[in-house]
Amino acid sequence: MHKTFRTPALALLSLALLGCATLFAGNPIVTDVHTADPAALVHRDTVYIYAGHDEAPPNENRYVMKEWLVFSSTDMVTWKSHPSPLSLAAFKWAKRDAWAGHVIERAGKFYWYVPMSVEQPHGFALGVAVSDSPTGPFVDALGKPLVTSDMTPNPTNPEGMVVSWDDIDPAVFIDTDGQAYLFWGNTNLYWARLKPSMTELDGPIQRITNLPRYTEAPWVHKRGDLYYLSYATGFPERTAYATADKVTGPWTHRGLVADLAGNCNTNHQAIIEFKGRSYIVYHNGGTLTGGSFRRSVCVDYLDYNPDGTIRRLVPTEEGVAPVK
Ligand code: FUB
């Protein structure tokens, strides 16, 4: 996919004139910092986007990610930037790599599931932080990981590499009966039930094995009676999806949601309904300083066909219209 991206000048000018941390949409929605791996939460009349912070300097081609960021909007167009509510420093047991997380609310508390690399057991681990507010501050809920690398196999990816980073990209879904599920994984896609505490697994870790070229970034949502599991596929990544009649599967692969992200080798999506419309939140490398390690979050509409299949994303520069 080729597209041109607007310069950040307009957004920066808006910021300067306003003298506050209110950002105006058009894609990318944030242009003063690089943001990646969005998760989105609808809470009351507000949408919160939780993102990783890509801090790699220009020409440094590796992830430099030490904290997570949060932005909020009531109209999907005007995004307010809040102080960073969570960083690696909150997890005494973690070392590096504040990668893709997910926030969900239960009984008035907000739980933020995040992957980080650790020394022992070698690889990534999943932690969970908790707050009374969607904008934090969040604190480590357990003082230790929820999932560690020795709880799952280290798979071999299609390139023949042993993947020690399989325990990444947590995504939590609470079903209509109140049961919570944790999905995660790179190369292997894992899931497990969560106890009502949201900080303990409830039963064995299971795998979904029938999704072609599953890479990472699972996201589960429900529309009507149908469950959707979207995820990054292949590498460089596109976004694919599967559907099921139950959140426990079996899942049927349905095709692509999105083609390659512009100027960026990963794809990472969140799908929400807000005030009667569906949105997809994703990232690309679409700023003047952007790229695979300096990504930026975008918002566009997500449309469904009458049979419930998802229409392929049309990424836009103008983004979405304000919600009335
Ligand atoms: O941002 C680091 C990793 O890149 C995420 O965990 C993946 O989803 C991919 O976007």
Side-chain angles (χ1 to χ4, degrees), residues 109-180:
K109 292 208 177 289
F110 297 83
Y111 297 90
W112 199 335
Y113 299 83
V114 283
M116 293 156 284
S117 59
V118 296
E119 297 291 353
Q120 290 299 329
H122 174 70
F124 273 72
L126 302 183
V128 54
V130 65
S131 175
D132 293 329
S133 159
T135 54
F138 285 78
V139 296
D140 186 357
L142 287 172
K144 62 180 183 179
L146 174 65
V147 172
T148 48
S149 185
D150 54 357
M151 294 164 69
T152 58
N154 283 356
T156 303
N157 70 12
E159 289 73 42
M161 296 169 77
V162 174
V163 176
S164 61
W165 59 94
D166 56 327
D167 294 297
I168 65 167
D169 290 9
V172 174
F173 174 79
I174 302 178
D175 206 351
T176 29
D177 64 1
Q179 176 64 55

Side-chain angles (χ1 to χ4, degrees), residues 267-282:
N267 239 314
H268 198 115
Q269 78 300 337
I271 293 172
I272 54 164
E273 291 271 334
F274 182 60
K275 296 183 180 170
R277 279 213 77 161
S278 296
Y279 298 88
I280 182 165
V281 189
Y282 60 99

Side-chain angles (χ1 to χ4, degrees), residues 32-48:
D32 60 332
V33 290
H34 287 296
T35 54
D37 301 329
L41 170 73
V42 176
H43 181 65
R44 301 198 174 123
D45 68 342
T46 302
V47 174
Y48 297 89

Side-chain angles (χ1 to χ4, degrees), residues 37 63 65 99-100 168-169 216 266 268 283 295:
D37 301 329
Y63 295 123
M65 305 180 81
W99 286 11
I168 65 167
D169 290 9
E216 58 187 1
T266 58
H268 198 115
H283 68 217
R295 298 162 289 181

